[in-house]
Amino acid sequence: MPNRRTASPAPGDGERFGRPKWLPVRRHTMLLALWTAGWFVVAERHEAVSWHYLRTGQQLLFNQIPGGGLALYANHPELQIGPVSFLVAGLFAPFPPETGEKLADLFMSVLGLYMLVLVGRAAADHYRGTGVNHRRLQQRVLIAGAAFIPMWVEVAVRFAHLDDVLALFFTTLAVRALVRGRATAVGVCLALAVGCKPWAVGFTPLFLALPRGGRARAAAWLFALVAAAWLPFYLTHTQTFAAARFTIPNQAASSLRWFGVHDPVTPWWDRPAQMSLGVALGVLAVRRQRWPAVVLLAADARIALDPSVYTYYNASVLLGTLIWDSIGQRRLVPWVSWIALLSLYGSALLIPSDSARGLIRLAFAFGSAAYVLWWPQRVPRGRRDARRPPDPDPRPDGRPLVRSPGQPPAEPGALSVAAVRLQAWRSGPAPGAYRP
């Protein structure tokens, strides 16, 4: 049965597609905005734990206090934050400290809501021409977004980690650009993500999902911009290399304990292993044609091998499950997102045992990685038809080269069903079919 919601709406028929006439945005986006506002009010009661790092780093980068400039990381290895994050933090510097902090919290919260819109639009683009019911797609984004928002507010408001926020935001832009086939934008956005936070290297296999020509262009932009952001610090001050060996305590609830790592601080091999494992899993996901799993797999590698267990780490996991539940699978209920929220955030709030929390985190990382990589997935109808061998080319008189008995001659210039559906997939749904 044709999907009626992919048809072009009649004038004034916006409510059929999820938006009442009096609302400027879709209903599910309005609900997510109210959900975000509620969590913002709850989290705003707590102090922005880490905002002072951003403010100090911004002052150091612009030489407003001694020991900064290109010597920033050599003198302050504890600032494990990319220079792009400090540049953005400078936007809030002209305001009084408390006002700037509140504005930054609000800015980061709005970015999270906008990311939900971007993921919804990327999902709509990804499934164009495949008969997907766009009302169900909106519902999927709504349910997965409801799980994503609590963790987003955790990183954006309670901890005020602008660096993590920007790394995830630019990664979401890269996903949107990837679906639209914009190779240059993919490379630029991934480079900006790495320029905000080094662990975003785990997201870079996304560019491998582009066609071969676009892949080379994205890689060129990615490596050039990452070098432009980071090399000046390393070339002018060799002590900057010591920042990569900065250690933090190995907490009792860390999953590293289950690997037999009981060092009091970060093992020397841990950070390289995190990034290498994340990149390797991402490459495997792309090779298995499951690129929407790249962000989740990189986040799994991070939480499984990190010596710390801060709850704001889970924001990267929930972005990964949001992308997977919206783009990587077609079930109405995005249960991976809610399992992530309940197991990672719920265990941190409700389970007192450090060892049990570490085991739950490790089990989720292994289980979700195995699921997105190996669980059988349905191929969308339009994609399945597009992969079939095309019908034989017709003769000049319009007759097919091979006809079954009783089959009438094809009309001159007629297209096969597969060709028609392939054209529909390329052209996408009619305007107005999906607007997050």
Side-chain angles (χ1 to χ4, degrees):
M1 184 175 186
N3 179 6
R4 294 183 179 179
R5 298 202 185 278
T6 60
S8 181
D13 199 23
E15 192 161 357
R16 284 184 55 204
F17 295 89
R19 182 180 69 189
K21 298 176 183 179
W22 53 272
L23 272 180
V25 295
R26 301 287 156 175
R27 183 182 288 109
H28 73 288
T29 304
M30 178 63 70
L31 291 174
L32 289 171
L34 294 174
W35 184 242
T36 303
W39 280 96
F40 179 87
V41 171
V42 172
E44 189 63 22
R45 300 175 183 175
H46 304 279
E47 183 180 1
V49 176
S50 302
W51 180 248
H52 65 282
Y53 290 116
L54 276 302
R55 189 169 60 246
T56 300
Q58 173 264 322
Q59 293 171 340
L60 285 166
L61 183 63
F62 293 102
N63 279 316
Q64 295 173 356
I65 54 180
L70 294 178
L72 189 158
Y73 298 106
N75 295 329
H76 297 274
E78 74 279 3
L79 295 178
Q80 300 284 300
I81 300 170
V84 176
S85 298
F86 292 139
L87 289 174
V88 177
L91 299 175
F92 305 97
F95 301 95
E98 185 175 352
T99 302
E101 178 185 308
K102 301 299 182 185
L103 290 175
D105 291 346
L106 181 61
F107 168 73
M108 290 185 282
S109 300
V110 172
L111 279 187
L113 186 61
Y114 181 51
M115 287 163 61
L116 292 176
V117 174
L118 290 174
V119 171
R121 290 178 177 171
D125 286 342
H126 180 72
Y127 285 112
R128 62 173 53 188
T130 61
V132 167
N133 185 301
H134 292 284
R135 176 64 63 81
R136 288 172 61 89
L137 181 56
Q138 290 175 348
Q139 293 170 349
R140 204 154 74 219
V141 173
L142 172 63
I143 299 171
F148 168 76
I149 288 299
M151 285 294 87
W152 184 259
V153 172
E154 187 83 358
V155 67
V157 181
R158 183 184 171 196
F159 284 90
H161 267 258
L162 180 63
D163 48 340
D164 293 81
V165 164
L166 291 175
L168 297 177
F169 171 66
F170 285 122
T171 301
T172 307
L173 288 177
V175 169
R176 170 71 166 146
L178 171 61
V179 172
R180 302 181 74 183
R182 298 183 174 179
T184 299
V186 171
V188 170
C189 291
L190 289 176
L192 289 172
V194 177
C196 291
K197 195 74 171 180
W199 57 252
V201 166
F203 304 146
T204 56
L206 282 170
F207 83 89
L208 297 174
L210 289 163
R212 181 166 300 177
R215 195 183 309 160
R217 187 163 68 254
W221 279 98
L222 170 62
F223 293 120
L225 291 179
V226 169
W230 287 101
L231 279 183
F233 298 96
Y234 286 92
L235 295 179
T236 57
H237 296 81
T238 55
Q239 300 91 333
T240 301
F241 287 95
R245 297 190 295 271
F246 181 75
T247 61
I248 59 176
N250 184 12
Q251 298 182 4
S254 171
S255 297
L256 284 175
R257 304 281 179 167
W258 285 91
F259 291 113
V261 180
H262 299 284
D263 298 6
V265 295
T266 311
W268 65 268
W269 50 264
D270 186 69
R271 298 303 186 193
Q274 273 183 313
M275 294 184 182
S276 300
L277 179 61
V279 170
L281 290 174
V283 171
L284 178 60
V286 174
R287 288 182 61 85
R288 291 187 53 77
Q289 299 182 359
R290 301 188 179 200
W291 68 261
V294 167
V295 174
L296 176 57
L297 291 169
D300 283 342
R302 184 189 184 194
I303 64 170
L305 296 179
D306 203 279
S308 190
V309 294
Y310 291 114
T311 52
Y312 71 84
Y313 288 4
N314 300 333
S316 59
V317 178
L318 267 295
L319 176 62
T321 59
L322 171 68
I323 294 172
W324 175 257
D325 280 331
S326 300
I327 304 176
Q329 60 90 25
R330 300 184 65 185
R331 293 180 178 85
L332 174 60
V333 179
W335 56 270
V336 180
S337 292
W338 280 92
I339 288 178
L341 179 67
L342 295 176
S343 60
L344 299 179
Y345 196 40
S347 64
L349 297 177
L350 301 176
I351 297 180
S353 169
D354 291 334
S355 179
R357 292 201 302 273
L359 180 60
I360 291 172
R361 188 178 300 103
L362 188 61
F364 174 83
F366 271 88
S368 61
Y371 170 72
V372 299
L373 283 173
W374 306 109
W375 192 267
Q377 297 292 322
R378 291 185 302 163
V379 179
R381 185 176 61 202
R383 309 286 170 80
R384 187 164 53 240
D385 292 338
R387 290 178 185 175
R388 294 175 181 169
D391 291 349
D393 292 333
R395 292 192 179 106
D397 61 359
R399 295 184 179 184
L401 293 176
V402 179
R403 287 192 293 118
S404 59
Q407 178 183 354
E411 296 181 3
L415 294 174
S416 67
V417 174
V420 170
R421 287 179 175 168
L422 181 58
Q423 284 187 355
W425 176 75
R426 287 172 175 170
S427 61
Y434 182 89
R435 293 292 184 272

